[in-house]
Amino acid sequence: MVTEVLNWLQSLPQPALVGATGLLVLLECTVGLGFIAPGESGLLIAATTATTAPRFVVLVLVVTVCAGIGDSIGYAIGRRFGPRLRETKLIQRYGTDAWDKATGILQRRGAWAVFFARFLPVVRTLTPAAAGTSKLPYRKFLPAVVSGALCWSLLHVSLGAALGEAARRVENVLSTGGMIVVGVLAAIGLFFLIRFKKKKAAAALAAAAEKEPADDRG
């Protein structure tokens, strides 16, 4: 059954699949929509179809560009509305702590915070608007966004492609009961992988905050 689903995904028109994935990522990166659009989950699912080098490269490039556009929209919103964004109902309900964390680190670390925030859920959504609010120059914001989006895209497309290939191979040798066991183990493994990524990204962000000079904001 897993193979059938993966084959069905792969049979979908590639432009439509890649376009839908890019749109989800763009919406996730735009402040306010990141709490609704499942960009990361959609990317992992779409990445299971990246079975050839051209598919892989196209998906990475499209996701990188869409993430950059979404972050730039968030940045523009932050520049336009400033600190008032924190008082909106959406951020008050879902992301006040993340907003304060993103704003505080941005004020001290500038572009380094933008890069590492890409790997932190929720903070990733709010950081572009926080960068605009904190007056981080766009000439420093954009390179950090693009490099972070590229690394994030490469990581998730590689992971999704590997998971898809592994699922196909496992299903060929296991019974239905065995697949259920593997599915449970995979879910547990994914849970701990996400926790590990959060800890690593948070540690990297903290390290950047300690090492970079305070005048790095320009």
Side-chain angles (χ1 to χ4, degrees), residues 6 9-10 14 17-18 21 39-52 55-57 59-60 63 152-166 168:
L6 294 176
L9 283 171
Q10 194 169 347
Q14 187 68 3
L17 182 63
V18 172
T21 304
E40 190 170 61
S41 301
L43 176 57
L44 286 172
I45 293 172
T48 62
T49 69
T51 54
T52 65
R55 282 175 174 258
F56 185 96
V57 171
L59 186 57
V60 168
V63 169
W152 180 79
S153 300
L154 282 169
L155 173 64
H156 285 78
V157 175
S158 298
L159 181 60
L163 289 173
E165 180 61 26
R168 291 185 183 91

Side-chain angles (χ1 to χ4, degrees), residues 14-216:
Q14 187 68 3
L17 182 63
V18 172
T21 304
L23 180 61
L24 282 175
V25 170
L26 187 153
L27 292 176
E28 184 191 51
C29 295
T30 302
V31 65
L33 298 177
F35 301 108
I36 303 171
E40 190 170 61
S41 301
L43 176 57
L44 286 172
I45 293 172
T48 62
T49 69
T51 54
T52 65
R55 282 175 174 258
F56 185 96
V57 171
V58 168
L59 186 57
V60 168
L61 291 178
V62 168
V63 169
T64 299
V65 170
C66 288
I69 293 173
D71 284 348
S72 295
I73 293 173
Y75 177 90
I77 292 173
R79 292 282 289 191
R80 172 65 179 82
F81 295 100
R84 287 178 293 169
L85 278 176
R86 189 187 186 281
E87 306 307 318
T88 60
K89 291 182 179 180
L90 187 67
I91 292 180
Q92 285 289 316
R93 181 176 180 181
Y94 294 108
T96 302
D97 291 340
W99 177 267
D100 292 340
K101 181 178 181 181
T103 302
I105 296 176
L106 276 162
Q107 289 174 345
R108 298 192 304 272
R109 300 300 98 206
W112 279 103
V114 175
F115 176 87
F116 288 111
R118 164 58 54 184
F119 301 91
L120 295 172
V122 182
V123 176
R124 171 174 67 241
T125 298
L126 298 175
T127 294
T133 298
S134 66
K135 308 299 184 183
L136 177 71
Y138 190 71
R139 60 184 173 79
K140 290 192 173 186
F141 172 82
L142 185 60
V145 161
V146 173
S147 56
L150 178 60
C151 293
W152 180 79
S153 300
L154 282 169
L155 173 64
H156 285 78
V157 175
S158 298
L159 181 60
L163 289 173
E165 180 61 26
R168 291 185 183 91
R169 295 190 178 189
V170 168
E171 190 173 40
N172 286 335
V173 297
L174 290 182
S175 63
T176 302
M179 282 300 297
I180 293 175
V181 173
V182 171
V184 172
L185 292 176
I188 294 173
L190 184 60
F191 170 77
F192 283 105
L193 175 63
I194 292 173
R195 288 190 61 186
F196 175 76
K197 283 173 56 183
K198 288 181 180 179
K199 289 181 180 180
K200 290 286 288 184
L205 193 59
E210 292 176 358
K211 293 181 181 179
E212 289 302 306
D215 61 355
D216 190 44

